[in-house]
Amino acid sequence: MRTATGTGRRDRVPPHPDLREIGLQQVLEALVDPVRRRIVAELYAAGEELACGTIELPVSKSTATHHFHVLREAGLIRQHYAGTSRMNTLRLEEFEERFPGLLRAVVAAHEGDASD
């Protein structure tokens, strides 16, 4: 992490890509994994930021961290620290502008799969 200028504090916001630089292929590759679709669906349903640990996942903590990283790099989520918790927010408005209807369709399909 880098030090914030003049404050001596560590930067508590990881880098986030500009959605104009994200292609559909990268987004679809991020969403192919059911754990990542579950994270997106949880954030979509919550409509607010959630800490990583509040989303129950069937994987280890280190694997969950990897999944959150992939989603951030694909531009799907924003992350920042609040104390010791890493908070996650779905970039819904930005995503809707860049890929209209995609997240809604992915979440609906995920929920349909979960009910089978």
Side-chain angles (χ1 to χ4, degrees):
M1 291 187 190
R2 59 184 187 260
T3 302
T5 307
T7 64
R9 292 184 8 200
R10 290 181 175 245
D11 185 356
R12 303 293 285 169
V13 179
H16 295 89
D18 183 335
L19 282 183
R20 294 173 297 195
E21 297 173 5
I22 300 293
L24 182 60
Q25 183 71 29
Q26 184 177 1
V27 172
L28 294 177
E29 287 173 1
L31 292 170
V32 75
D33 187 280
V35 172
R36 292 193 288 266
R37 287 195 308 273
R38 183 174 182 171
I39 293 167
V40 168
E42 293 266 348
L43 290 170
Y44 188 92
E48 62 185 10
E49 64 183 17
L50 296 175
C52 293
T54 63
I55 301 173
E56 200 170 312
L57 300 172
V59 297
S60 69
K61 186 176 178 180
S62 63
T63 301
T65 298
H66 166 74
H67 287 302
F68 281 102
H69 176 81
V70 170
L71 290 172
R72 188 181 77 241
E73 290 298 310
L76 287 152
I77 64 172
R78 280 201 181 280
Q79 294 184 308
H80 70 93
Y81 280 95
T84 59
S85 296
R86 188 173 270 203
M87 305 304 292
N88 303 279
T89 307
L90 194 60
R91 294 173 71 178
L92 188 56
E93 288 182 26
E94 295 169 87
F95 229 82
E96 188 62 26
E97 187 176 309
R98 177 79 167 105
F99 302 105
L102 179 63
L103 288 180
R104 189 174 342 109
V106 167
V107 169
H110 173 78
E111 289 170 354
D113 290 346
S115 66
D116 291 342

